[in-house]
Amino acid sequence: MTDHMEHHHDAESQPTKDHTRQYVSIFVLLGIITLAEVGVFYVDALQSLLVPLILGLSAIKFLLVVMYYMHLKADHKVLTLFFAVGAVMAITMFVIVPWIVIWQYA
Amino acid sequence: MSTYPLPQQEALEQPTTAPTTGAAVHPEPNTGIDSKKLGMWVFLASECMLFGSLLGTYIVYVGQSVSGPLPQDLFNIPLTTLFTFVLLSSSLTVVLADQAAKQGNIRKMRFWLGATVALGLSFLGFQVFEYSHFMAEGLFLRTNLFGSTFYVLTGFHGVHVSIGVIWFSSLLISSLRKNRRAVSATNVELAGLYWHFVDIVWIVVFGVVYLMADI
């Protein structure tokens, strides 16, 4: 019995190339950004900038996972388009809609 | 006992534009993208909207609670940070399982799939602990607007994590039973895409719900 499995590759993928170092580097970067977020949370002097800093750092983590772990950076652009439409609608719902509602009741 | 599929069965999986039998075949898609993968991305786009609306509802209502307990009374940021690392680590193990599957290294793939299941279960354990602690402090679904929106948002995320753990467990069991069709590199990649999405939802939830609790 063989220990190798049947697999089909997309035209864009490079199955034999080892990306382990890149994946671990991204993980370390994600960890550092998470620690930075928690640091911002605990530092009193940064409380006025808490919302933009947390949203900005979260956006960087989001993009790192989507581009490198989900392979959108190297994958077909149509997939990026589909996901971008969903992401933009999500951002509209959790950033713009709450802002409008809170502004109306302020 | 399940065995590796017969050559004829494997042939059914091969994309072809010139079918020679009446058997079901996978024609080349017009987009040039694997249909399963395209379907998964469309599904994830719709999931973005689901979690976007849940987060929007949480943001609108979190400050409207007229009675406690409130977020700042309950959240344990160091512990939540630790389990955020657990979920981030699971994204690394998933991408390594995906890479091993594409390289045809089934032993490595099994190892990383097992690690992902263990990390996913750890995260679910954290969520159970957190919920039991919050309930002991008097926060239930009906207690206030914070309780309602928090439990619905994080509960939906927890259900997604549970589905991911079941999915990876089934891939791991199938690989141990030598069911090659079930653990094709494409199937591991699809499960990986789903899991990374669950991870990015938590990235946003951690920032917006936990770290902005005092706003």
Side-chain angles (χ1 to χ4, degrees), chain B residues 13-159:
Chain B
E13 290 193 313
Q14 302 294 333
T16 174
T17 51
T20 53
T21 69
V25 291
H26 295 176
E28 194 69 36
N30 292 335
T31 56
I33 309 166
D34 187 301
S35 300
K36 285 182 182 175
K37 198 167 160 181
L38 184 62
M40 175 54 79
W41 276 105
V42 173
F43 168 69
L44 294 181
S46 72
E47 288 278 276
C48 274
M49 290 181 256
L50 168 71
F51 280 102
S53 61
L54 290 174
L55 270 166
T57 309
Y58 176 84
I59 293 165
V60 168
Y61 285 125
V62 68
Q64 310 284 326
S65 298
V66 290
S67 63
L70 298 173
Q72 51 269 39
D73 306 326
L74 296 171
F75 287 159
N76 182 342
I77 297 300
L79 185 64
T80 312
T81 305
L82 178 66
F83 281 91
T84 299
F85 274 110
V86 168
L87 207 57
L88 289 175
S89 306
S90 72
S91 258
L92 176 65
T93 58
V94 165
V95 81
L96 292 174
D98 180 29
Q99 178 176 260
K102 284 176 178 157
Q103 290 171 339
N105 191 333
I106 199 164
R107 284 187 189 190
K108 258 191 186 177
M109 185 200 73
R110 281 178 190 149
F111 175 78
W112 292 121
L113 286 179
T116 305
V117 170
L119 291 167
L121 286 172
S122 303
F123 184 83
L124 288 173
F126 157 72
Q127 214 163 23
V128 169
F129 170 77
E130 186 183 50
Y131 280 14
S132 59
H133 170 66
F134 286 6
M135 286 175 184
E137 294 289 326
L139 185 76
F140 295 89
L141 195 66
R142 291 181 175 184
T143 304
N144 54 25
L145 285 169
F146 162 60
S148 304
T149 52
F150 174 81
Y151 281 127
V152 171
L153 172 61
T154 57
F156 261 99
H157 181 265
V159 168

Side-chain angles (χ1 to χ4, degrees), chain A residues 2-10 15 19-20 27 31 38 41-42 50 65 69-71 75 90 93-94, chain B residues 4 14 37 48-49 52 56 59 78 81 85 88-89 98-99 102-104 106-107 180 183 193 196 200 211:
Chain A
T2 177
D3 241 359
H4 286 264
M5 56 196 293
E6 187 73 20
H7 52 283
H8 311 296
H9 306 297
D10 297 332
H19 295 281
T20 306
F27 171 70
V38 177
F41 174 80
Y42 281 114
L50 185 76
V65 173
Y69 283 179
M70 298 171 87
H71 312 299
D75 227 325
M93 282 187 275
F94 90 83
Chain B
Y4 280 137
Q14 302 294 333
K37 198 167 160 181
C48 274
M49 290 181 256
I59 293 165
T81 305
F85 274 110
L88 289 175
S89 306
D98 180 29
Q99 178 176 260
K102 284 176 178 157
Q103 290 171 339
I106 199 164
R107 284 187 189 190
R180 248 194 308 188
V183 282
L193 287 174
H196 294 310
I200 58 177
L211 298 181

Side-chain angles (χ1 to χ4, degrees), chain A residues 76-96:
Chain A
H76 204 290
K77 298 297 173 211
V78 168
L79 301 177
T80 307
L81 179 68
F82 274 116
F83 192 64
V85 170
V88 167
M89 291 182 82
I91 290 166
T92 305
M93 282 187 275
F94 90 83
V95 176
I96 298 171

Side-chain angles (χ1 to χ4, degrees), chain A residues 37 54-64, chain B residues 203:
Chain A
E37 284 180 317
I54 296 292
L55 286 180
L57 291 169
S58 296
I60 293 169
K61 286 163 68 181
F62 181 100
L63 288 173
L64 282 172
Chain B
I203 285 171

